[in-house]
């Protein structure tokens, strides 16, 4: 099993990159099983994949805290595991799990511990696991999602966003995440910005894995609510992501 995580602040094209990475895996690893995990509280990976999702992990865990929610004859642990299994969206090509945004008050330590164990068991059934994270890496830093092999930090072509990517790298170092590989991808490139941004990129301490040009087809697909995994092979963004992922032997 190979687990790849994507991180970056909102609006930089992180979810687009994740969707195109899934497209790459599904196209080039047709006989492999894939689990996509949307661990960003602002969950929208399902839209990029053309899927509707009714339940998230967070909403289901919230249900378990309600008085009388657990059926007679079931332990709390059994009920939570049952609800977690319900949250898995299965398709012919891959499966999707949406974490969602925790709401309400109270301690999530016990449910999160069960969630960690559930994910550890679940991922063993797949060859590839992709995780779309928020910039703060909450699920990674709290070890809810662990054993990540590759972390790709996504930034758009602005100095502010590059500095945000540097802060993600600081979080990784501070919490002691054990990664085989970490690198930077810069998206929405329209010209020679990378040359001007190189000093900021150097400050992050991240290796530049590649760039993704601003692709009008991506905007068109978003407007028309079309799945990004259905972008054509000759799309600028698709070709760029293919080149990046081939460069890291994905």
């Amino acid at each position: 099993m190979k687990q790849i995580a994507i991180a970056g602040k909102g609006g930089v094209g992180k979810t687009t990159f994740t969707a195109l990475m899934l497209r790459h895996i599904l196209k080039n690893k047709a006989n492999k099983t894939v689990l996509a995990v949307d661990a960003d509280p602002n969950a929208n990976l399902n839209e990029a994949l053309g899927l509707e999702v009714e339940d998230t992990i967070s909403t289901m865990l919230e249900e378990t805290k309600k008085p009388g929610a657990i059926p007679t004859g079931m332990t709390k642990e059994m009920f939570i595991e049952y609800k977690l299994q319900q949250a898995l969206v299965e398709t012919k090509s891959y499966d999707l799990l949406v974490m969602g945004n925790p709401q309400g008050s109270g301690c999530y330590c016990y449910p999160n511990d069960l969630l960690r164990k559930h994910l550890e068991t679940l991922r063993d059934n797949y060859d590839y696991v992709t995780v779309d994270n928020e910039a703060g890496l909450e699920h990674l830093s709290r070890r809810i999602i662990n054993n990540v092999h590759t972390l790709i930090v996504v930034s758009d072509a602005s100095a502010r966003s590059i500095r945000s990517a540097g802060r993600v790298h600081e979080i990784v170092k501070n919490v002691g995440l054990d990664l085989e590989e970490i690198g930077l991808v810069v998206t929405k490139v329209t010209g020679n910005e990378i040359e001007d941004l190189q000093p900021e990129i150097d400050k992050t301490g991240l290796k530049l894995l590649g760039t993704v040009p601003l692709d009008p087809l991506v905007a068109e697909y978003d407007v028309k609510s079309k799945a990004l995994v259905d972008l054509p092979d000759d799309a600028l963004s698709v070709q760029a992501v293919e080149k990046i992922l081939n460069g890291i032997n994905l």
Side-chain angles (χ1 to χ4, degrees):
M1 185 274 295
K2 184 162 188 175
Q3 193 162 216
I4 310 103
I6 311 298
K9 75 183 189 70
V12 299
K14 174 173 55 70
T15 299
T16 296
F17 184 89
T18 304
L20 294 183
M21 179 174 67
L22 283 166
R23 182 191 185 281
H24 170 85
I25 294 172
L26 295 172
K27 176 187 174 185
N28 295 284
K29 310 287 184 181
N31 60 334
K32 301 297 183 180
T33 53
V34 181
L35 172 65
V37 179
D38 190 346
D40 192 331
N42 182 26
N44 57 6
L45 179 60
N46 64 295
E47 295 175 5
L49 299 175
L51 294 177
E52 288 189 12
V53 173
E54 295 181 2
D55 297 309
T56 70
I57 292 291
S58 293
T59 57
M60 289 190 167
L61 290 180
E62 192 66 33
E63 286 181 29
T64 67
K65 296 164 63 179
K66 296 177 181 178
I70 302 175
T72 304
M74 290 185 75
T75 65
K76 186 175 183 179
E77 182 171 350
M78 289 170 59
F79 184 58
I80 290 177
E81 289 180 351
Y82 167 71
K83 300 298 282 185
L84 291 175
Q85 199 63 46
Q86 276 191 316
L88 186 68
V89 179
E90 299 176 296
T91 78
K92 292 180 179 180
S93 305
Y94 60 91
D95 296 339
L96 173 67
L97 198 63
V98 178
M99 305 289 275
N101 188 16
Q103 300 174 352
S105 58
C107 179
Y108 280 85
C109 299
Y110 176 67
N112 278 339
D113 186 51
L114 289 180
L115 174 57
R116 182 185 301 108
K117 294 176 182 176
H118 176 72
L119 287 174
E120 287 175 355
T121 302
L122 183 65
R123 72 184 181 207
D124 288 339
N125 298 319
Y126 299 90
D127 298 304
Y128 289 91
V129 178
T130 67
V131 185
D132 185 2
N133 288 276
E134 63 176 330
L137 302 177
E138 179 183 2
H139 293 295
L140 291 179
S141 62
R142 290 166 62 187
R143 299 299 196 276
I144 295 173
I145 296 171
N146 55 22
N147 292 339
V148 171
H149 300 88
T150 303
L151 176 63
I152 299 174
V153 185
V154 178
S155 164
D156 63 25
S158 69
R160 181 180 298 176
S161 185
I162 296 292
R163 287 192 286 268
S164 177
R167 287 191 288 273
V168 172
H169 194 196
E170 287 299 318
I171 293 173
V172 170
K173 290 186 289 186
N174 289 339
V175 300
L177 291 179
D178 185 17
L179 303 167
E180 290 183 8
E181 186 170 24
I182 181 171
L184 174 69
V185 169
V186 180
T187 65
K188 304 182 182 180
V189 174
T190 59
N192 299 319
E193 301 99 315
I194 296 302
E195 186 176 332
D196 294 331
L197 290 169
Q198 194 60 55
E200 291 291 346
I201 293 173
D202 292 340
K203 290 177 186 176
T204 68
L206 291 165
K207 175 186 176 183
L208 181 62
L209 301 177
T211 64
V212 181
L214 186 64
D215 188 347
L217 261 186
V218 170
E220 180 183 324
Y221 271 52
D222 280 340
V223 168
K224 296 180 179 179
S225 297
K226 295 170 69 174
L228 297 181
V229 288
D230 294 332
L231 280 165
D233 290 345
D234 61 356
L236 297 174
S237 54
V238 169
Q239 292 182 343
V241 171
E242 290 271 327
K243 182 179 179 181
I244 292 167
L245 298 179
N246 285 332
I248 60 173
N249 296 318
L250 180 58

